Amino acid sequence: MLFSAFTINTTESTCSSTTMSCSSSTLILPSVVTKNGFRRFSSKQQLDKSRVFMTSISVGSRAAASAVVDDALFADYKPTNAFLFPGQGAQAVGMGVEAQKVPAAAELYKRANEIMGFDLLDICINGPKEKLDSTVLSQPAIYVTSLAAVEMLRAREGGQLIIDSVDVTCGLSLGEYTALAFAGAFSFEDGLKLVKLRGEAMQDAADAAKSAMVSIIGLDSDKVQQLCDAANEEVDEANKVQIANFLCPGNYAVSGGVKGIEAVEAKAKSFKARMTVRLAVAGAFHTSFMNPAVSRLETALGATEIRTPRIPVISNVDAQPHADPDTIKKILASQVTSPVQWETTIKTLLTKGLKKSYELGPGKVIAGIVKRMDRGAEIENIGA
């Protein structure tokens, strides 16, 4: 991904979900903050519409509930405070330095080093940039740094109260995994293993075919689709293009074969685009070019314990929250070949009455997107 001073672009995300229903019951979850994890539901908080009894487990824990879950559990969520997590492209050499001042945040890097098999923190702090920017390293690095930012917030005065107030979360492509970890859907370690494999699988898929991505600045989504249609008339099937990231009004990323991307760039001005920016990424993320990565993700997700999130986590694929672990697995596998519905996600949160959001992790990309959609929106950056 590439970001200019006045644009917000990302390079990382429909699948059918199966709704599973069962009898209604009341969900009562105790309020607990574990040693290395995140808050469970507030004390004695009841969700009358819940169809499942479970105990929400924080990051770092392996315990889980086994029950049938109604995937629509969070369908009528009403957001007030949100945690938003960045995706690939937010990385920068030097991230993680501040996190070393907070023991709980620093501990996450130590745990990550054991899983990665090398010193991830050293690459975050010292680079080189070319190494950190690679898909296989930037994704784990951002995941760890974003969760370290949560621990940095927790350590500051009033930080735990802020964390306790968060009632919805989401992340941009890769950031969806971070959001799920924060929401207790899987452990920190399991999330990192998934993100590591995801980066490797996406890199391998990109290496298998010549593809690219480009950001189109200054057009609405309908015009960008028309631009893609015009470009596709001039290339063969292997070079077709599509919108891969619906980021915010006037900023959409297109993915596809190199010849198709070149056709988009050549025609952009005739469609009145302000500019195009070729993205420095491995390949055409969030398109069928990533199909080779899907089976590897399905296998890894199938072997991973995923629980119902303790708060709604909005999917990049359909901009909806999901509660059923099996549905979450299917969506995460399809996410790498599906367009990112970030514009709809943020618009929905704002329309539903979101009062404040926090961007946790490196960069300020998400804050820029939110402000572009609503200049009056209140958002705070928590770096690491």
Side-chain angles (χ1 to χ4, degrees), residues 17-21 69-72 324 327:
S17 61
T18 303
T19 299
M20 304 176 65
S21 52
V69 181
D70 182 352
D71 190 52
D324 174 45
T327 300

Side-chain angles (χ1 to χ4, degrees), residues 125-138:
I125 293 177
N126 300 311
K129 182 180 184 300
E130 295 73 21
K131 191 172 185 178
L132 180 61
D133 285 349
S134 68
T135 299
V136 295
L137 290 179
S138 62

Side-chain angles (χ1 to χ4, degrees), residues 157-237:
E157 185 176 358
Q160 185 63 55
L161 291 176
I162 293 174
I163 293 172
D164 290 349
S165 74
V166 173
D167 51 17
V168 66
T169 182
C170 53
L172 188 52
S173 192
L174 155 70
E176 186 170 339
Y177 286 77
T178 319
L180 285 164
F182 170 73
F186 44 66
S187 69
F188 168 80
E189 287 84 359
D190 284 348
L192 180 56
K193 290 173 185 176
L194 287 172
V195 168
K196 177 178 181 291
L197 180 138
R198 181 180 187 266
E200 294 168 349
M202 291 174 72
Q203 181 66 60
D204 291 344
D207 291 342
K210 293 182 178 180
S211 61
M213 294 186 73
V214 62
S215 279
I216 312 299
I217 310 301
L219 296 180
D220 62 31
S221 59
D222 289 340
K223 280 291 185 182
V224 176
Q225 184 58 57
Q226 292 172 25
L227 173 58
C228 289
D229 292 342
N232 285 336
E233 291 178 359
E234 299 184 0
V235 298
D236 59 19
E237 194 65 30

Side-chain angles (χ1 to χ4, degrees), residues 82-370:
F83 271 6
L84 312 178
F85 295 99
Q88 187 177 344
Q91 72 275 358
V93 173
M95 67 184 193
V97 172
E98 293 300 312
Q100 302 315 297
K101 300 175 183 178
V102 176
E107 176 65 20
L108 293 181
Y109 288 94
K110 293 178 182 177
R111 290 157 64 184
N113 290 347
E114 295 176 2
I115 293 170
M116 299 296 293
F118 57 84
D119 194 340
L120 181 65
L121 177 62
D122 179 66
I123 296 173
C124 288
I125 293 177
N126 300 311
K129 182 180 184 300
E130 295 73 21
K131 191 172 185 178
L132 180 61
D133 285 349
S134 68
T135 299
V136 295
L137 290 179
S138 62
Q139 294 195 24
I142 293 167
Y143 172 86
V144 176
T145 301
S146 296
L147 290 175
V150 175
E151 295 305 326
M152 292 186 68
L153 173 60
R154 193 193 307 281
R156 86 183 195 189
E157 185 176 358
Q160 185 63 55
L161 291 176
I162 293 174
I163 293 172
D164 290 349
S165 74
V166 173
D167 51 17
V168 66
T169 182
C170 53
L172 188 52
S173 192
L174 155 70
E176 186 170 339
Y177 286 77
T178 319
L180 285 164
F182 170 73
F186 44 66
S187 69
F188 168 80
E189 287 84 359
D190 284 348
L192 180 56
K193 290 173 185 176
L194 287 172
V195 168
K196 177 178 181 291
L197 180 138
R198 181 180 187 266
E200 294 168 349
M202 291 174 72
Q203 181 66 60
D204 291 344
D207 291 342
K210 293 182 178 180
S211 61
M213 294 186 73
V214 62
S215 279
I216 312 299
I217 310 301
L219 296 180
D220 62 31
S221 59
D222 289 340
K223 280 291 185 182
V224 176
Q225 184 58 57
Q226 292 172 25
L227 173 58
C228 289
D229 292 342
N232 285 336
E233 291 178 359
E234 299 184 0
V235 298
D236 59 19
E237 194 65 30
N239 282 283
K240 298 292 187 184
V241 297
Q242 69 176 68
I243 301 177
N245 283 343
F246 292 83
L247 287 171
C248 62
N251 194 332
Y252 303 96
V254 171
S255 287
V258 171
K259 290 183 179 179
I261 293 297
E262 290 173 347
V264 167
E265 292 170 329
K267 294 177 175 293
K269 286 197 179 294
S270 66
F271 278 79
K272 309 299 183 184
R274 184 166 32 148
M275 66 183 298
T276 63
V277 180
R278 181 74 71 97
L279 302 178
V281 296
F285 296 161
H286 299 294
T287 69
S288 60
F289 280 88
M290 292 293 109
N291 276 337
V294 174
S295 61
R296 291 172 65 181
L297 276 169
E298 287 176 336
T299 299
L301 287 161
T304 301
E305 182 180 46
I306 293 184
R307 300 171 289 272
T308 297
R310 58 182 177 78
I311 58 175
V313 179
I314 312 303
S315 165
N316 280 219
V317 173
D318 59 7
Q320 296 292 328
H322 296 274
D324 174 45
D326 288 338
T327 300
I328 292 172
K329 290 181 180 184
K330 292 174 184 177
I331 284 178
L332 288 178
S334 69
Q335 191 217 56
V336 292
T337 59
S338 303
V340 178
Q341 302 295 335
W342 192 251
E343 181 180 357
T344 300
T345 295
I346 299 301
K347 186 181 297 183
T348 301
L349 289 174
L350 294 171
T351 300
K352 280 178 169 283
L354 182 68
K355 294 180 180 179
K356 184 171 183 178
S357 54
Y358 300 82
E359 178 178 11
L360 297 104
K364 298 182 178 180
V365 175
I366 291 176
I369 293 175
V370 172

Side-chain angles (χ1 to χ4, degrees), residues 41-61:
F41 276 109
S42 300
S43 178
K44 300 185 183 302
Q45 180 177 355
Q46 300 186 11
L47 296 180
D48 293 331
K49 59 180 175 289
S50 171
R51 286 70 149 182
V52 61
F53 176 80
M54 60 165 283
T55 301
S56 180
I57 306 299
S58 64
V59 170
S61 173

